[in-house]
Amino acid sequence: MKDSKPTTGTAGKERANDLAINGGKPVRTEGWLNWPVWNTDAEEPMLEVLRSGNWFRLRGSKVDEFEEAYATLIGAKRVLATASGTAALETALQVLEVDAGDEVIVSPYTFIATYNVVFNQKALPVFADTDQETFTINPHKIEEKISERTKAILPVHIFGLPADMDRIMAIAQQHNLFVIEDACQAWLAEYKDKKVGTIGDLGCFSFQNSKNIPAGEGGAIAGNDERLMDRCHSFHNCGRPYGKTASDFSGYPFLGGNKRMTEFEAVILLSQLERAEKDADLRLENALYLDSKLKNIPGIIPYKLTEGATKSAYHIYPLRYKKECFDDLPREKFLAALQAEGIPCSSGYEAQYNDGFMEEVLNSRGYKKLFSEQRLKRYREELHELPENDQLTREAVWFFQNMLLGERQDMDDIVNAVQKVYENRKQLL
Ligand SMILES: Cc1ncc(COP(=O)(O)O)c(C=O)c1O
């Protein structure tokens, strides 16, 4: 989609008391900014790459250029571009030697890819409960999950909300564990003024179509350790040696795969970087405005930034919906009413560890060989011991990042719609 100005809503004075879901006038009838937004600067280099026939990174320079630009943007020593965020996480786990039979402590409140990448290493993702106020892993729940098999901690900066990195790094250091940051939704988010994804041993990003920096597909790994980053490069490029730390090698000395980014994706990303910081500032400004207004509505609890977090990326603007303040109106009815008022929203992640795919994995021949019956029994039991995460999946409400690229009036539409549903909740009971 071409850049189009966000439309201005019709909130305020014209509000009717009847809820739109019951036939009343909606707070807002105009749409929202279409995402992704492309700019014409991408056209010429895209055509150049197309006409050159140099479409993959080993015959072009765009991926290299993007890696340098992204490293500068986030203050990382090195960045490796990958085919996706999933590919970035898989590469990071592989290079940090997360192996079959290992355990990785993971945040349960995340996109399913975070679980999948651990399972793909034939390791166990061991969940430490979520802190429902911050939506991120509760660091106080991590140590009790550490076993002799634990190899790494995989915190997720979900929606761009930074996890408590000081505590996580201290625990990792004390127990000799690696930290892989899942920053797949957290471009330019900051913890103690450092960009997230640059704090742990390795940090992973996604540039999939819906993301704040989109390229259809794509990902990146950030890191400050030359050897680790050289190994990531090798692994993502079929095991070919790469960099100064591999200068003694030739042929295929390492295990590898193909997780490379294309030149086309890099062209799109380079053109997206131009607007990334400006967009991030606007999302932040609008999110702070929403915080200040929404918190005054009973039963609406906006996210809280963890101590030390200085900036969120707002891939999602999240809040918790307390139905007891809405005369027990179920969240689904609240969301449907809000949507009818012209406000896109979602209930977000489910307690997906109950979805069945975990059983498929745990019952597989491989897992039965790798883990004792006793361990798998305890693991299954522990999936029912995530009370805060379970509650969060029942109460969360999401607004989307493109909505935060609007003007003050657009934010007022969101606030007015929530207020209207609150005031007229009895119409829904
Ligand atoms: C938290 C999180 N981790 C990992 C991923 C995987 O990224 P990708 O879709 O680029 O493979 C995503 C993407 O949606 C994500 O949101």
Side-chain angles (χ1 to χ4, degrees), residues 20-81:
I21 200 164
N22 290 339
K25 184 173 161 46
V27 168
R28 180 183 176 99
T29 49
E30 285 100 328
W32 296 83
L33 175 73
N34 281 315
W35 195 258
V37 173
W38 58 275
N39 73 57
T40 48
D41 290 356
E43 291 177 359
E44 207 181 298
M46 192 61 110
L47 274 175
E48 257 172 44
V49 170
L50 180 70
R51 289 170 180 155
S52 72
N54 297 329
W55 301 344
F56 98 125
R57 72 167 300 168
L58 300 189
R59 280 180 52 186
S61 60
K62 296 296 179 192
V63 176
D64 294 341
E65 222 179 289
F66 168 68
E67 286 172 345
E68 232 170 83
Y70 196 62
T72 304
L73 184 68
I74 64 170
K77 198 162 176 189
R78 296 255 305 262
V79 160
L80 173 74

Side-chain angles (χ1 to χ4, degrees), residues 70 74 82 84-85 88 183-184 186-188 196-197 203-207 218-222:
Y70 196 62
I74 64 170
T82 58
S84 65
C184 283
W187 329 257
L188 299 172
V196 303
C204 299
F205 297 85
S206 167
F207 306 114
I221 306 172

Side-chain angles (χ1 to χ4, degrees), residues 96-387:
L96 291 172
E97 293 173 30
V98 172
D99 211 339
D102 286 341
E103 297 184 6
V104 178
I105 296 180
V106 175
S107 173
Y109 197 76
T110 182
F111 181 58
I112 200 71
T114 319
Y115 301 11
N116 286 341
V117 293
V118 179
F119 280 130
N120 288 341
Q121 295 300 112
K122 298 276 182 243
L124 264 190
V126 175
F127 301 113
D129 204 1
T130 306
D131 169 1
Q132 53 180 316
E133 290 194 326
T134 65
F135 290 69
T136 59
I137 195 166
N138 183 343
H140 301 292
K141 301 283 177 181
I142 292 178
E143 275 186 299
E144 67 199 53
K145 298 288 177 182
I146 295 174
S147 75
E148 68 283 356
R149 295 215 186 188
T150 308
K151 185 82 180 172
I153 307 173
L154 180 40
V156 183
H157 306 297
I158 199 70
F159 314 145
L161 298 165
D164 189 340
M165 289 308 292
D166 272 1
R167 290 218 182 108
I168 291 168
M169 295 305 287
I171 294 167
Q173 197 169 25
Q174 199 182 338
H175 296 269
N176 202 20
L177 305 173
F178 292 116
V179 174
I180 301 154
E181 293 175 77
D182 184 338
C184 283
Q185 299 184 6
W187 329 257
L188 299 172
E190 289 175 10
Y191 179 87
K192 296 204 167 161
D193 298 322
K194 263 186 136 178
K195 299 283 189 291
V196 303
T198 66
I199 301 166
D201 294 281
L202 293 169
C204 299
F205 297 85
S206 167
F207 306 114
Q208 177 270 340
N209 220 65
S210 67
K211 298 301 196 296
N212 297 17
I213 302 178
E217 299 284 3
I221 306 172
N224 298 315
D225 180 300
E226 298 287 355
R227 194 195 72 85
L228 274 182
M229 290 306 291
D230 285 350
R231 290 302 297 267
C232 285
H233 202 295
S234 291
F235 182 72
H236 107 300
N237 186 26
C238 309
R240 295 179 177 99
Y242 181 88
K244 286 196 193 84
T245 66
S247 56
D248 292 342
F249 297 94
S250 60
Y252 295 91
F254 309 116
L255 180 70
N258 176 359
K259 299 181 189 288
R260 295 183 299 255
M261 177 179 279
T262 69
E263 288 287 284
F264 296 113
E265 288 160 342
V267 167
I268 298 174
L269 284 171
L270 282 163
S271 75
Q272 291 291 323
L273 289 187
E274 286 176 24
R275 58 177 297 150
E277 282 176 295
K278 197 164 56 73
D279 283 355
D281 289 345
L282 182 56
R283 286 190 197 95
L284 175 63
E285 187 188 321
N286 279 329
L288 295 181
Y289 181 73
L290 284 180
D291 292 351
S292 71
K293 298 287 176 185
L294 289 172
K295 70 174 187 204
N296 300 322
I297 303 175
I300 301 297
I301 308 178
Y303 70 92
K304 187 176 133 192
L305 279 185
T306 196
E307 208 187 310
T310 32
K311 213 181 263 182
S312 174
Y314 300 102
H315 181 53
I316 297 288
Y317 179 98
L319 55 85
R320 284 180 293 149
Y321 168 75
K322 294 285 181 190
K323 68 174 181 181
E324 50 273 30
C325 301
F326 279 69
D327 296 320
D328 275 341
L329 179 74
R331 178 182 57 170
E332 282 55 46
K333 285 196 174 175
F334 169 75
L335 291 171
L338 216 47
Q339 280 158 359
E341 298 297 337
I343 309 301
C345 52
S346 160
S347 56
Y349 300 129
E350 306 277 328
Q352 47 213 3
Y353 32 82
N354 296 329
D355 280 357
F357 81 98
M358 307 265 293
E359 270 310 308
E360 188 186 327
V361 181
L362 301 179
N363 272 321
S364 68
R365 274 187 305 123
Y367 273 74
K368 283 184 188 160
K369 275 190 216 160
L370 289 165
F371 298 94
S372 69
E373 212 179 301
Q374 202 184 14
R375 176 65 186 108
L376 292 179
K377 181 172 178 283
R378 188 157 48 84
Y379 183 76
R380 285 184 172 95
E381 286 164 4
E382 283 175 0
L383 298 177
H384 301 289
E385 293 165 13
L386 299 167

